[in-house]
Amino acid sequence: MAKLVSTTYGDALFELALEEGRLQTMRSEVEALRQIFAENEEISTILGHPEMDKNAKITFMENIFKGRCSDYMMGFLVLTVEKGRYADIPAILDYFIKKAKEEEGIGTATVTSAVELTEKGKEVIEARLLELTSYKSFETTYVVDESLIGGLVIRIGDRVVDSSIKTKLQNMKKSLTKIQLS
């Protein structure tokens, strides 16, 4: 259900940003808001307090954000509180950021390797990713996982390319266990 809420509200916010020609501005604002919610868990705690009514929660949000964010964003925040969806705000913001980056041609990739990659290696990987996809640029996160033994695991959205030795060994093990000796 939370995914449906984040996509519904996130799509509405995204469409508004496109219609108003404010996608980049709105994305920057949403990223700042996302960081504020991530760093200040007290906001979610207060918004989730059962003793606090909706009007008090709206006033609380206005006291924090009014004048610090656009009228569009303030309207979005008030609407989510009015509809009782304040717990979904971080997920909605994450969804919007992802969708805005897609629209702007910015891919997000996670590259996992067994050893730390050199800067040259990172450049080669990013250049190859740009060749193989329709993205204009990438925001790449590099992770080291020694259990891979060697090779890479590259994740772009829901796509995964796994060329790790660990996976190859696991696949070989599965194949060998299926072999029946007569």
Side-chain angles (χ1 to χ4, degrees):
M1 182 67 165
K3 186 166 177 99
L4 179 62
V5 170
S6 65
T7 57
T8 303
Y9 282 75
D11 283 337
L13 192 60
F14 178 77
E15 291 301 321
L16 175 66
L18 282 180
E19 285 175 19
E20 298 294 323
R22 300 175 38 97
L23 188 61
Q24 286 184 325
T25 307
M26 210 106 134
R27 181 169 68 92
S28 298
E29 191 172 12
V30 167
E31 287 172 343
L33 271 175
R34 182 64 186 107
Q35 186 173 353
I36 289 168
F37 276 91
E39 292 174 357
N40 300 288
E41 292 178 22
E42 303 85 26
I43 295 172
S44 296
T45 303
I46 291 170
L47 289 174
H49 197 284
E51 299 288 318
M52 201 170 171
D53 70 355
K54 284 185 183 179
N55 290 332
K57 292 175 183 181
I58 291 169
T59 302
F60 172 73
M61 292 293 271
E62 287 175 340
N63 287 339
I64 295 173
F65 296 111
K66 196 164 194 162
R68 293 186 178 95
C69 63
S70 69
D71 291 340
Y72 298 111
M73 198 56 57
M74 197 64 232
F76 160 74
L77 292 171
V78 168
L79 179 68
T80 54
V81 172
E82 283 176 351
K83 298 292 184 182
R85 300 295 187 188
Y86 42 82
D88 297 311
I89 291 174
I92 296 166
L93 298 177
D94 288 342
Y95 177 81
F96 176 88
I97 292 166
K98 179 182 170 191
K99 193 154 172 107
K101 285 180 180 179
E102 286 285 326
E103 179 70 21
E104 294 172 353
I106 302 169
T108 304
T110 302
V111 178
T112 307
S113 60
V115 295
E116 184 73 33
L117 297 172
T118 64
E119 287 304 313
K120 177 79 172 145
K122 291 176 182 179
E123 289 172 13
V124 169
I125 289 169
E126 286 190 32
R128 187 73 175 130
L129 290 175
L130 289 171
E131 283 176 27
L132 296 172
T133 64
S134 60
Y135 293 112
K136 297 174 191 168
S137 65
F138 268 96
E139 291 180 354
T140 310
T141 304
Y142 293 94
V143 179
V144 175
D145 180 358
E146 294 174 358
S147 73
L148 294 181
I149 304 169
L152 299 172
V153 177
I154 301 173
R155 294 180 192 279
I156 302 172
D158 59 356
R159 294 176 287 177
V160 178
V161 176
D162 188 342
S163 66
S164 68
I165 293 174
K166 176 182 178 180
T167 299
K168 289 178 182 177
L169 288 172
Q170 287 172 342
N171 290 340
M172 193 181 306
K173 179 182 175 184
K174 285 180 191 174
S175 295
L176 290 172
T177 56
K178 290 181 182 177
I179 297 174
Q180 293 182 356
L181 299 174
S182 21

